[in-house]
Amino acid sequence: TTSSELPTICLPTSDHFTTEVDVRLTCNSCSYTRTRTELYRHFSLDVTDKKRSSVDEGLRRFFAPEKIEIKCEKCFADSATQYKEISKLGCAMLLHFKRFVVTVSDTYEVNTKKSLEKVEFGEELDLSYFCCNNVSSSGHGRSSIPSDESQEGEDEVVTNDSMSEDDYTCPQVFKLRSVIHHIGSTASCGHYTADSLVDVVVGKGKSRKKYSRAEQWYKFNDSVAKTIGKKDVFGKRSQETAYLVMYEMAN
């Protein structure tokens, strides 16, 4: 069996967490341009102590044009400006806050400290500012719609796979689904917990019409799981301990 005959396997990590970014280098002398595509499983965002950090601010800093020293293939000038744009979105967007900072002293002693600065994040994340005009998606998402003809406990799943590219506009708004916290004041020790938005079914009785879908935030702390409110998810304490946030593409 040759490699061309092997079936193509789509890994969940590729379908959900892979974001493609077009990196464009433009010579500052002759404007000669070259482009390459980079793959990201997550984006690492700086946590600043000069002012309150936020997800939007961190993404703007990540995608900001940057002047770099590189020799031009055409005129041999030694500087160019680097631009980044998202060209393909995954179903999920994983953002990592760089709270653990490595410092080197004058005596070359390496130390690691943790930043306790607040990082603001919201229920929704609009990525349209960072996307190119013809951005695509590796997964269009799906919506579960109850059907009277479905069997008890099952849903009819409606996907966008049957839609043509001309009819489909890639969603660029993502909804917060999970927050991972590092509890601890130093980089050498601490404890991890997770807040997650869970889909639940509420209602009473045997008839499906008496049931409805809802969303509820839960905190998972080792073997303990409890419901929490939005104030717990987005409050000051949460902003100080958030280490990873995961957004899911909105339908």
Side-chain angles (χ1 to χ4, degrees), residues 121 123 181 195 216-217 219 227-241:
F121 53 91
E123 289 188 69
H181 298 274
D195 300 338
Q216 173 64 55
W217 280 100
K219 177 172 287 293
T227 60
I228 58 175
K230 288 186 178 181
K231 290 184 178 180
D232 300 310
V233 179
F234 301 100
K236 175 183 176 182
R237 176 62 175 167
S238 179
Q239 294 176 3
E240 292 174 344
T241 59

Side-chain angles (χ1 to χ4, degrees), residues 163-223:
M163 298 175 63
S164 67
E165 293 185 0
D166 294 334
D167 296 332
Y168 180 76
T169 301
C170 175
Q172 298 169 34
V173 176
F174 286 64
K175 182 178 181 180
L176 184 68
R177 297 295 298 191
S178 182
V179 183
I180 295 178
H181 298 274
H182 178 267
I183 312 299
S185 57
T186 67
S188 59
C189 63
H191 178 66
Y192 288 94
T193 65
D195 300 338
S196 182
L197 186 61
V198 179
D199 295 325
V200 296
V201 177
V202 295
K204 294 181 179 180
K206 296 182 179 181
S207 174
R208 293 187 60 199
K209 294 182 179 179
K210 295 182 179 181
Y211 286 81
S212 62
R213 295 184 180 274
E215 294 177 332
Q216 173 64 55
W217 280 100
Y218 280 82
K219 177 172 287 293
F220 297 93
N221 185 355
D222 289 341
S223 60

Side-chain angles (χ1 to χ4, degrees), residues 17 40-44 93-96 244:
F17 292 102
Y40 288 85
R41 300 291 190 192
H42 70 275
F43 292 96
S44 291
M93 174 67 66
L94 186 61
L95 303 177
H96 160 243
L244 291 166

Side-chain angles (χ1 to χ4, degrees), residues 21-84:
V21 176
D22 286 346
V23 181
R24 186 175 75 255
L25 289 174
T26 301
C27 176
N28 293 329
S29 179
C30 69
S31 299
Y32 173 71
T33 298
R34 44 194 160 161
T35 304
R36 70 179 187 276
T37 300
E38 295 181 347
L39 302 182
Y40 288 85
R41 300 291 190 192
H42 70 275
F43 292 96
S44 291
L45 308 182
D46 292 326
V47 177
T48 61
D49 54 3
K50 296 181 180 179
K51 60 180 180 179
R52 181 175 297 178
S53 298
S54 68
V55 165
D56 184 70
E57 176 198 347
L59 286 171
R60 287 179 182 271
R61 186 182 296 108
F62 184 91
F63 285 97
E66 179 183 3
K67 186 177 180 179
I68 61 175
E69 294 183 3
I70 187 171
K71 190 170 290 294
C72 177
E73 300 175 357
K74 187 175 182 180
C75 73
F76 303 106
D78 56 4
S79 69
T81 301
Q82 178 176 271
Y83 303 90
K84 296 179 182 178

